[in-house]
Amino acid sequence: MKKILYYIIHSLSYLISLLPLSILYILSDITFLIIFYIIRYRRDLVKKHLQESFPEKTYKEKQRIEFQFYKWFCDYFVESIKMLSISKKQIKKRMVFKNTEIVDKIVDGGQSCAVYLGHYCNWEWITSLPLWINQKALCGQIYHVLENSDYDQLFLALRQRWGAVSIPMAETLRRIVKYRQEGKQVVIGYISDQVPYWNNIHHWLQFLNHDTPVLTGTERLARQTGHAVLYLDINRLKRGYYEAEFKLITRTPKEMKEYEITDIYFQLLEASIQRDPTCYLWTHNRWKRSHDEFNIRYDKDTGRVSLEPLESILRRKGLA
């Protein structure tokens, strides 16, 4: 039954993807009206994030960002579905990569690349990178396996269509070591602006006016493997057209201070968002973990962070 369900979902998605983007954008506009005005999908959360992230902006400015964000958010979904059938010519026209020469130079020198991304613009179309860079390199992206296996298989089909491999997060280091043993240079994309679990919080920084716990695994992997580190700065030129520019952070990650690479990544990502806030994934609750709660959960004697319910910790510590 699962296989049948997957084929049904995949077939329907493929048929929808055959529609011209001009028609798909009409569907996007209809979807926008539903989720923005009727369902009001996470609008309170988005308002909260915008209010806290841009206290200097006027109420009308934040209203405009919210409105345009939901418009882009719906476009992102139809653009992702379009990946199932879009031609090579069209994807190269609509997703243009700049400064790829730096990636080719690094790969030609026998070094692999770790590329920082964010939940910004259309990160699914970034999987067309193999059409642009040195064919010596194996392109890939780290991803979270979806709980729904049918949707997981659908997204794998989308992301691997142009030759990039999708690597489950839990297998990252093992796969990278395997590729190195096989003598392959890799260019791996890491979407590193996600919320870490309590026991994976090792670093806090200021990001969009928030005291933010951040993932540091990409930096640790780059140090361990000696990969060059780059940031991919994506810009939405107009509806359905994006430009992504590679920016080198370092070719010698082991020489950088601890967390310096992570700090630079978030500074660059924030600059991208400040340029156009409407293309960031504001519906994701990335500031749900506070520093105050972390301090309550953290045990200085053991260096561990408790994962038990907060109420239980407060009672145990006599703080309830």
Side-chain angles (χ1 to χ4, degrees):
M1 285 298 296
K2 285 187 175 181
K3 285 187 177 180
I4 293 173
L5 182 59
Y6 166 71
Y7 286 126
I8 291 173
I9 293 172
H10 189 282
S11 298
L12 287 174
S13 299
Y14 182 78
L15 289 173
I16 293 171
S17 77
L18 293 175
L19 295 171
L21 268 170
S22 57
I23 302 299
L24 289 175
Y25 284 135
I26 294 174
L27 295 177
S28 173
D29 290 339
I30 295 170
T31 304
F32 162 74
L33 294 174
I34 294 171
I35 72 166
F36 189 80
Y37 290 108
I38 300 175
I39 299 176
R40 298 181 62 84
Y41 175 68
R42 295 195 174 185
R43 282 191 60 186
D44 289 340
L45 180 65
V46 172
K47 287 178 184 292
K48 179 176 182 292
H49 284 165
L50 293 176
Q51 177 61 38
E52 293 172 348
S53 298
F54 305 109
E56 76 284 359
K57 293 187 182 296
T58 66
Y59 177 74
K60 286 187 176 181
E61 286 175 323
K62 283 176 278 201
Q63 269 192 319
R64 185 194 65 80
I65 293 170
E66 179 189 0
F67 184 86
Q68 292 298 327
F69 158 71
Y70 278 97
K71 295 276 289 183
W72 162 79
F73 186 56
C74 295
D75 282 357
Y76 159 77
F77 280 106
V78 300
E79 289 170 359
S80 297
I81 292 172
K82 186 63 182 177
M83 286 175 63
L84 282 169
S85 63
I86 193 170
S87 69
K88 182 186 295 187
K89 181 180 179 181
Q90 275 293 306
I91 193 67
K92 289 196 71 174
K93 180 181 177 182
R94 292 177 175 275
M95 184 76 241
V96 175
F97 291 87
K98 294 178 63 180
N99 205 20
T100 55
E101 298 84 4
I102 192 169
V103 178
D104 291 340
K105 183 178 180 180
I106 292 169
V107 170
D108 283 334
Q111 190 178 15
S112 291
C113 301
V115 181
Y116 273 109
L117 305 168
H119 286 95
Y120 187 71
C121 289
N122 193 322
W123 56 90
E124 301 295 348
W125 280 13
I126 296 300
T127 57
S128 63
L129 179 60
L131 302 176
W132 289 84
I133 66 168
N134 196 321
Q135 294 303 301
K136 293 180 183 178
L138 175 68
C139 294
Q141 56 275 329
I142 309 304
Y143 83 105
H144 281 289
V145 178
L146 299 178
E147 291 183 12
N148 186 305
S149 59
D150 299 313
Y151 286 110
D152 189 62
Q153 288 299 310
L154 177 61
F155 272 94
L156 283 176
L158 292 172
R159 292 166 177 166
Q160 298 184 147
R161 185 176 173 215
W162 304 112
V165 296
S166 293
I167 303 171
M169 182 173 285
E171 299 179 20
T172 304
L173 182 58
R174 183 177 65 81
R175 294 280 286 274
I176 288 175
V177 170
K178 175 177 176 289
Y179 294 138
R180 183 167 58 186
Q181 290 172 343
E182 294 172 351
K184 295 178 181 177
Q185 275 72 57
V186 296
V187 179
I188 304 293
Y190 300 83
I191 297 182
S192 299
D193 59 339
Q194 301 176 58
V195 182
Y197 293 112
W198 288 112
N199 56 338
N200 284 330
I201 296 176
H202 306 289
H203 186 51
W204 296 76
L205 50 74
Q206 281 296 309
F207 176 57
L208 291 170
N209 204 42
H210 291 83
D211 190 15
T212 308
V214 295
L215 291 171
T216 56
T218 302
E219 176 178 327
R220 292 198 304 273
L221 277 167
R223 288 179 181 277
Q224 191 170 352
T225 59
H227 288 186
V229 183
L230 302 99
Y231 172 67
L232 193 59
D233 185 14
I234 312 171
N235 188 21
R236 191 190 195 203
L237 304 178
K238 59 181 180 178
R239 197 175 203 182
Y241 290 87
Y242 300 88
E243 186 177 82
E245 181 179 2
F246 285 99
K247 296 184 176 180
L248 180 66
I249 295 177
T250 181
R251 290 196 63 171
T252 54
K254 293 179 182 179
E255 297 178 7
M256 304 284 281
K257 296 178 182 178
E258 187 176 20
Y259 304 131
E260 185 178 3
I261 294 172
T262 301
D263 289 346
I264 292 172
Y265 157 62
F266 275 96
Q267 290 166 11
L268 291 168
L269 178 59
E270 181 167 330
S272 298
I273 296 167
Q274 291 283 359
R275 182 181 62 223
D276 182 4
T278 64
C279 294
Y280 192 53
L281 191 60
W282 297 107
T283 50
H284 179 45
N285 193 9
R286 67 190 69 261
W287 291 293
K288 61 186 176 182
R289 308 201 200 285
S290 72
H291 213 148
D292 288 339
E293 184 174 348
F294 175 82
N295 290 336
I296 293 171
R297 291 179 174 278
Y298 182 70
D299 189 320
K300 294 181 180 179
D301 295 330
T302 64
R304 295 180 179 179
V305 179
S306 175
L307 301 180
E308 64 182 295
L310 181 60
E311 294 77 8
S312 300
I313 300 173
L314 292 173
R315 284 197 298 270
R316 177 162 50 79
K317 291 187 174 183
L319 300 173

